[in-house]
Amino acid sequence: MKTIKEVVLKGDNNESVTVKPLVEDILNAEQQAALTPDEVIASLKEGNRRFVSNDLTARDHTQQIRKATHGQFPKAVVLSCVDSRVPVEDVFDKGIGDMFVARVAGNFVNEDILGSMEFGCKVSGSKVILVLGHEHCGAVKAAIGDVKLGNITAMLTKITPVVKATDFDGDKTADNPDYVHLVCVNNVLHTMEQIREKSPILKEMEEKGEIKIIGGVYDMDTGVVDFL
């Protein structure tokens, strides 16, 4: 099978820059076990800084796929919105085998996602759960507007309690970006609490210091993740 030997990118002043893709060693069980949750969080933050500065790692995914075939030991579980404008692995400059990623409109939890998180942490050893919301979230706006449409109606019931509980002085509509932002932040915080409330396994792991459950909001205008 053909492998990638080099990639030509456009640098400053539109000059061509030749970059040799990185073939990273896939994390093994011993390396994963040695990581602390704080180290993983620091790695996510540093990866986001590279993303914002347009300094993403050039990876050879073909080789990474082969290296990850017989096992996976990801560092983190990320729950993101389904929004196509939030490329989770790129946002944190991570490659194959680095993260479990669950996606659903509005980044809420249900039984299936909680089970996936328990698998990622309790079974597979991930050290961090990150709930990642984002600005201009269509699901949050739809919940604010009480949209009624097919299965979307039932889906939005996971977010509407946050809308009702959000205290805000001003225009409480989807047209007010300040209000949408606040609901977005509160939705992330609510999801974090739901994880602890509905998964005794993950709550106990957090209390023991084995994992950390954190939140963040992705700014589409800048690419920056604001860690809550």
Side-chain angles (χ1 to χ4, degrees):
M1 184 179 293
K2 184 178 180 181
T3 59
I4 302 171
K5 299 194 181 296
E6 62 182 30
V7 178
V8 178
L9 304 175
K10 291 295 184 181
D12 295 337
N13 301 320
N14 206 35
E15 296 176 351
S16 295
V17 180
T18 301
V19 179
K20 184 177 180 180
L22 174 67
V23 181
E24 292 180 315
D25 288 330
I26 301 300
L27 210 65
N28 61 39
E30 291 75 23
Q31 291 168 329
Q32 183 200 53
L35 287 171
T36 67
D38 285 338
E39 287 173 334
V40 174
I41 294 170
S43 173
L44 294 173
K45 290 181 177 180
E46 180 57 34
N48 182 240
R49 282 192 287 269
R50 292 195 297 272
F51 173 72
V52 172
S53 63
N54 199 28
D55 189 28
L56 287 175
T57 305
R59 293 180 168 86
D60 188 335
H61 287 136
T62 300
Q63 290 298 317
Q64 283 191 315
I65 290 171
R66 293 174 180 175
K67 285 176 174 287
T69 299
H70 300 295
Q72 60 170 343
F73 304 94
K75 303 171 185 177
V77 181
V78 180
L79 171 59
S80 170
C81 181
V82 73
D83 197 294
S84 65
R85 300 166 294 177
V86 187
V88 178
E89 284 85 357
D90 280 351
V91 166
F92 298 106
D93 192 23
K94 300 303 176 193
I96 291 169
D98 283 332
M99 300 189 304
F100 290 106
V101 180
R103 304 191 70 148
V104 64
N107 43 269
F108 59 82
V109 288
N110 57 22
E111 184 180 66
D112 301 317
I113 292 174
L114 287 169
S116 298
M117 288 177 170
E118 291 171 355
F119 171 79
C121 294
K122 188 67 175 180
V123 179
S124 294
S126 292
K127 301 301 179 75
V128 169
I129 293 175
L130 168 60
V131 180
L132 184 64
H134 67 93
E135 302 286 4
H136 314 301
C137 181
V140 167
K141 289 181 178 180
I144 291 172
D146 196 25
V147 169
K148 307 294 184 184
L149 178 64
N151 290 299
I152 294 174
T153 304
M155 180 188 75
L156 294 179
T157 61
K158 313 297 193 307
I159 307 173
T160 48
V162 179
V163 175
K164 293 178 180 179
T166 296
D167 187 19
F168 182 80
D169 293 327
D171 181 25
K172 294 184 179 181
T173 70
D175 294 325
N176 186 342
D178 291 334
Y179 179 58
V180 174
H181 170 76
L182 183 57
V183 175
C184 176
V185 171
N186 286 345
N187 187 48
V188 169
L189 296 174
H190 176 72
T191 297
M192 293 165 59
E193 289 306 313
Q194 287 285 290
I195 294 169
R196 297 180 179 110
E197 178 182 327
K198 295 185 176 181
S199 174
I201 289 175
L202 297 174
K203 180 181 180 181
E204 181 181 26
M205 291 184 74
E206 186 180 40
E207 289 173 345
K208 289 182 176 179
E210 297 170 351
I211 66 170
K212 282 193 173 182
I213 300 171
I214 63 174
V217 176
Y218 174 71
D219 188 333
M220 289 184 174
D221 296 308
T222 64
V224 172
V225 174
D226 180 20
F227 287 83
L228 305 180

